[in-house]
Amino acid sequence: MRTSPDSAAEGSAHVSARGARVFTVPAGRPFLAAVAAAILDGNLPSGGGVAPDPLALPDITLLLPTRRATRVMQEAFLNVAGEGAMTLPQIRPISAGDEDLSLLAGLASPGTLGSDSLDLPPAVSEIERRLVLTMLVQHWSRAIRKDDSGAAHLGDDAAAAGANTPAQAAHLASELARLMDMVETENVPLDGLASLVPDDYSAHWQDTLKFLEIITAFWPAYLEEKRLLSPATRRNRAILAEAERLTKSPPAGPVIVAGVTGSVPATVELMRAVACLPQGALVLPGLDLHLDEESWSAIAAHPEHPQFGFYKLLSELGLTRADVNVLHGAELAPKQVAREKLIAETMRPAGKTGRWQHYIRATDKSEVRGALDGISLIEAPSAQDEAEAVALILREAAETPGRTAALVSPDRLLARRVGVRLEAWGIRVDDSAGRPFAKTPPGTLLDLVISAVAEDFAPAAVMALLKHPLTRVGLDAFAVRRAGRAVEIAAFRTIYLGRGLDGVAAALVRAEEDVAEKRRRQTAVKRLWPDDWTGAHDLVARLSAAYAP
C-alpha cells in the first residue's frame, strides 16, 4: 500500500523501529492526562527520567492527531500541573485540514533541508473540487447520451446513464470526491482500477470504468492545468516530507507522537522517523497487551477488529507487542486490569473463540464480578427511552459536585436526542462531532429559503420561512411575525390556487377586496387592522425583492 511515487520517504519504508521508545496508555486511563503527567514527571520520552525544568518544556514537541486534541491537551497540562499558568510544550496537530499541515513543518533543525512541505502547490478547495466534478459529471452524462455506439451498447439504460439533473450530478460528484479521498489516503494510484474485475465478468464494469475516467483522466488534467493538488495528496506529501526532514536532520529537543494510530499510511512514515530519533517516542492509545500471540496474529484476517489498526501499525514499524510498554504512571489498578482482560476476551477473533473455555476455567468468577462493578445495563424499549435514560444519567452527574460524565456513541441520532433533552433542562453539552449545519439556525434558514423556491412558494413552505426567527427581510422580528400572521390569515386560510410570490400577492389583494365587500366571513380575517394589511403587502414585496436575483 506504500508504493506510490508520491512517497517522499520511500527509502525508509522498510526501516524497523525496533528498540524505539513505544508506550501505550490502557483504555481505562484518560489518555491525554496520562501523557501530560508523564511529560511533567519526566517519564516521556523515556521512562524513569528527571522532571524537566518548567522553562525547558517548550523544547518538547508533542504531535497529536487533530487540532481538537491539541486544545484538550493544553487543558490537560493545566489540570495535571494544578497551576494557574505555565509554559507548555509545542503541541501541534499532524493533519486536520490544510491549515494544519503548515503547523507540522519546521520540526527538523533549521537551515538544512529548506521548507519542502511549504513549497508544495496549494490544495484545491472543497467547493472548487465539488463544482468542477459536478460539471464533469454533467458533461460525461450528455456525451454518453449523444454517443451512438454507447447508446447501442447500453440499450434502454442509456437514458438512465450518468446524471439527469444537476442535483444528481452534485450527488455523484460528492461520491467521486469521497472515493478519491479514500484511495489517495492509502497512497494508491487510481490507474489500477481497470484490473479489479476480470474481463470475463466485466461488461458492466467497463461502463463504470468509462465513468471513472472523470477522476482517472479528466480531474488530474484539471489539477495539472491549475497547478493544484488534491487535499489528501498534499497532506500525504507534506507529512512524508516532514518525515524525511526529521530523518536527515533530527531536532535538538524531544519529539513525541501521541494518540496517532497510523490509519493514514503517510503518518506511519512520520511515526517511524520519530521512533528512530534519539529523543523520540510514540504513545499509543489502548493497545491490547493481554491477548495471546496466536489470537493476536489472527487479527490480521479481521480488518473489522478494533485492534486491527494497531496490528497493522506495529507490523509496518517492525515492532511486536513485546516492544511496547505501559506508560509510566498510567498503570491500572487490579480491578481495572481484570476488566481490561474481560473486554479483550469479548473481542477475541472469531476463529479463536474456542479459547473462551480456557478463560472460563482459569479465571476466578469473583474477579470477573469485581471487574464489572460500576457497569450497568439498561434495556430501553425504544430509541426515545434510550435517549431519556442517558440524559437522566448525565443530568445526575452534572448535579453532583466533583463528578463528570461523557456519552461515547457512534449513533449520531442518539447523541442529538440526548443533547436536545439536556438543553431542555438548561444543560448545554459539547458534542465533539459537532452539529450538522442543517440542524443549526442559519442552516435551517437556508434550507427553508431553498425549499420555498423548490415548492414554488406553497403556503406551508412560505409560512415555515416566515416563522423562522432569522427571517427579517430588513424588518425587526416583531414586524415580520405580525405581518407573517396576517399573510397566513388572509391568503392561506381559504382556497388557495396561486403559484409563486405573485400568487401570494394576488391572494392578498383578493382577500382584502372580499373583506371590503363582506364576501369573507371568517372572524380572524375580519379582525385584521389596516396596519396588518399594509404589513402583509409590504412583507410579500420584500420577499419578492429578496428572491429577485
Side-chain angles (χ1 to χ4, degrees):
M1 300 297 286
R2 286 179 283 105
T3 59
S4 169
D6 292 338
S7 179
E10 189 68 29
S12 62
H14 300 289
V15 177
S16 172
R18 190 172 298 279
R21 304 173 184 88
V22 185
F23 306 94
T24 184
V25 175
R29 292 295 302 271
F31 180 79
L32 296 182
V35 173
I39 292 176
L40 295 178
D41 294 339
N43 291 322
L44 270 178
S46 59
V50 180
D53 185 277
L55 297 180
L57 285 175
D59 296 334
I60 301 174
T61 300
L62 183 58
L63 301 180
L64 299 174
T66 63
R67 180 180 288 275
R68 178 180 176 82
T70 63
R71 293 196 298 266
V72 181
M73 176 57 86
Q74 294 172 4
E75 299 174 1
F77 271 105
L78 296 176
N79 293 334
V80 170
E83 300 176 1
M86 62 178 296
T87 57
L88 295 176
Q90 301 179 55
I91 306 174
R92 302 180 181 181
I94 286 184
S95 63
D98 182 66
E99 58 184 354
D100 288 335
L101 297 180
S102 61
L103 298 177
L104 180 63
L107 301 182
S109 299
T112 53
L113 297 176
S115 54
D116 304 60
S117 61
L118 297 182
D119 289 339
L120 293 172
V124 63
S125 67
E126 180 58 27
I127 186 64
E128 180 180 358
R129 179 171 72 162
R130 191 69 59 87
L131 290 174
V132 173
L133 286 176
T134 299
M135 290 188 290
L136 288 175
V137 170
Q138 289 178 308
H139 289 320
W140 183 89
S141 301
R142 288 193 293 267
I144 200 67
R145 291 183 179 88
K146 293 179 180 179
D147 185 357
D148 293 336
S149 60
H153 176 65
L154 293 172
D156 294 337
D157 293 335
N164 294 313
T165 66
Q168 291 177 349
H171 176 72
L172 288 174
S174 175
E175 294 300 313
L176 288 175
R178 192 161 66 95
L179 174 63
M180 284 194 295
D181 286 341
M182 292 171 59
V183 174
E184 292 172 354
T185 293
E186 296 293 335
N187 258 348
V188 177
L190 287 166
D191 53 16
L193 289 173
S195 60
L196 287 179
V197 179
D199 292 337
D200 294 342
Y201 307 98
S202 57
H204 180 69
W205 177 246
Q206 297 305 318
D207 297 330
T208 303
L209 287 177
K210 292 178 182 179
F211 175 71
L212 292 178
E213 286 181 355
I214 294 174
I215 59 175
T216 60
F218 303 124
W219 175 248
Y222 175 83
L223 291 179
E224 184 177 359
E225 178 186 354
K226 298 295 184 180
R227 297 183 179 179
L228 297 172
L229 292 176
S230 65
T233 298
R234 190 183 191 281
R235 176 195 60 195
N236 289 342
R237 291 187 181 181
I239 293 175
L240 292 172
E242 192 59 39
E244 184 181 27
R245 297 201 311 177
L246 285 173
T247 301
K248 293 182 178 179
S249 182
V255 179
I256 302 165
V257 177
V260 180
T261 60
S263 57
V264 177
T267 62
V268 177
E269 298 302 330
L270 179 66
M271 296 174 74
R272 190 195 315 277
V274 171
C276 294
L277 293 176
Q279 298 188 74
L282 308 179
V283 187
L284 307 178
L287 174 66
D288 184 0
L289 298 178
H290 302 289
L291 199 62
D292 61 274
E293 284 302 321
E294 184 179 350
S295 299
W296 176 259
S297 299
I299 292 178
H302 293 276
E304 76 284 355
H305 194 281
Q307 292 284 319
F308 176 80
F310 290 125
Y311 178 88
K312 182 179 176 182
L313 173 63
L314 293 180
S315 299
E316 293 184 348
L317 292 177
L319 302 173
T320 66
R321 289 185 299 166
D323 300 313
V324 183
N325 299 308
V326 175
L327 186 64
H328 291 273
E331 297 83 359
L332 296 176
K335 175 181 173 180
Q336 292 175 305
V337 173
R339 179 181 295 178
E340 197 173 39
K341 289 181 179 179
L342 177 61
I343 294 175
E345 284 295 327
T346 63
M347 297 296 177
R348 184 178 290 277
K352 303 298 178 180
T353 52
R355 293 178 177 265
W356 281 344
Q357 297 297 329
H358 174 74
Y359 174 79
I360 293 172
R361 289 192 299 267
T363 304
D364 185 359
K365 292 181 174 57
S366 62
E367 180 181 325
V368 175
R369 284 193 292 269
L372 295 176
D373 285 345
I375 295 179
S376 301
L377 172 65
I378 300 176
E379 296 182 355
S382 67
Q384 189 60 42
D385 292 323
E386 180 186 22
E388 185 76 15
V390 175
L392 285 170
I393 294 171
L394 295 177
R395 177 180 177 178
E396 180 185 17
E399 293 175 347
T400 304
R403 289 191 63 185
T404 59
L407 169 62
V408 181
S409 171
D411 188 344
R412 300 304 313 139
L413 183 58
L414 171 64
R416 286 198 291 269
R417 282 174 173 164
V418 172
V420 170
R421 195 70 188 94
L422 290 173
E423 287 185 3
W425 295 327
I427 303 173
R428 297 189 62 85
V429 294
D430 180 20
D431 190 343
S432 61
R435 178 181 295 184
F437 182 64
K439 300 296 182 181
T440 64
T444 55
L445 174 65
L446 292 175
D447 197 13
L448 292 172
V449 168
I450 297 171
S451 296
V453 177
E455 299 179 26
D456 204 9
F457 297 95
V462 171
M463 292 315 304
L465 175 61
L466 294 180
K467 291 181 179 180
H468 192 281
L470 295 184
T471 300
R472 299 296 172 84
V473 288
L475 302 171
D476 61 76
F478 176 76
V480 174
R481 300 295 88 74
R482 179 178 177 180
R485 176 176 174 273
V487 170
E488 178 185 8
I489 292 173
F492 299 145
R493 288 192 185 179
T494 184
I495 298 174
Y496 179 77
L497 302 176
R499 299 177 65 87
L501 288 173
D502 291 338
V504 179
L508 283 177
V509 173
R510 186 167 55 254
E512 194 168 12
E513 293 174 352
D514 290 344
V515 170
E517 298 175 6
K518 298 183 180 181
R519 289 196 296 265
R520 289 281 293 273
R521 298 178 179 271
Q522 296 95 332
T523 303
V525 72
K526 290 192 294 186
R527 288 182 176 178
L528 291 177
W529 295 87
D531 289 345
D532 294 327
W533 291 102
T534 302
H537 288 295
D538 179 61
L539 179 60
V540 174
R542 288 174 179 268
L543 277 179
S544 299
Y547 275 103

